[in-house]
Amino acid sequence: QVQLVESGGGLVQPGGSLRLSCAASGSIFSISRMGWYRQAPGKERELVAFILSGAYTNYADSVKGRFTISRDNAKNTVYLQMNSLKPEDTAVYYCNVRIGHNVYWGQGTQVTVSS
């Protein structure tokens, strides 16, 4: 089994920054893709960003230029640096990890952007 532990969410004012972390542990041999999704109240879960093992990254248009995804392969950890946060970034953020044909989700961490 694989466990994902997220941290770093919280309340921040518009224009502020937060850094999310997600550490994977357990039966890990090779993580092909690590990413972040988010789900706002009343909306569907959407992709925020992902990073492949070769460091290729992809971002949702709504976060390009503001968010940066990175990973530490030695620690099996993925990070999401979020800058210039907006109220519309408010959501529960979920870590997503793909190992072979299996997909794993974190428990979610709340990010609230409000003055």
Side-chain angles (χ1 to χ4, degrees):
Q1 277 292 349
V2 175
Q3 297 79 42
L4 301 178
V5 178
E6 302 165 353
S7 61
L11 172 65
V12 63
Q13 292 185 343
S17 298
L18 282 175
R19 188 192 193 209
L20 305 183
S21 300
C22 173
S25 62
S27 301
I28 299 172
F29 298 102
S30 178
I31 299 176
S32 58
R33 179 178 128 157
M34 306 183 84
W36 292 92
Y37 288 70
R38 67 185 181 187
Q39 187 166 19
K43 295 187 177 181
E44 294 186 353
R45 191 173 297 188
E46 62 176 3
L47 174 68
V48 176
F50 69 81
I51 182 168
L52 302 182
S53 57
Y56 171 84
T57 58
N58 183 277
Y59 296 90
D61 288 342
S62 59
V63 307
K64 283 182 180 177
R66 300 188 297 122
F67 291 11
T68 302
I69 190 170
S70 61
R71 63 190 282 178
D72 184 331
N73 292 325
K75 297 181 179 180
N76 292 320
T77 299
V78 62
Y79 305 96
L80 185 68
Q81 178 66 44
M82 305 185 292
N83 299 327
S84 302
L85 282 161
K86 304 175 181 180
E88 50 264 43
D89 294 318
T90 295
V92 178
Y93 284 70
Y94 296 91
C95 176
N96 172 277
V97 170
R98 297 186 182 184
I99 301 173
H101 298 292
N102 298 314
V103 179
Y104 302 91
W105 291 92
Q107 79 282 2
T109 184
Q110 177 70 45
V111 171
T112 302
V113 184
S114 175
S115 55

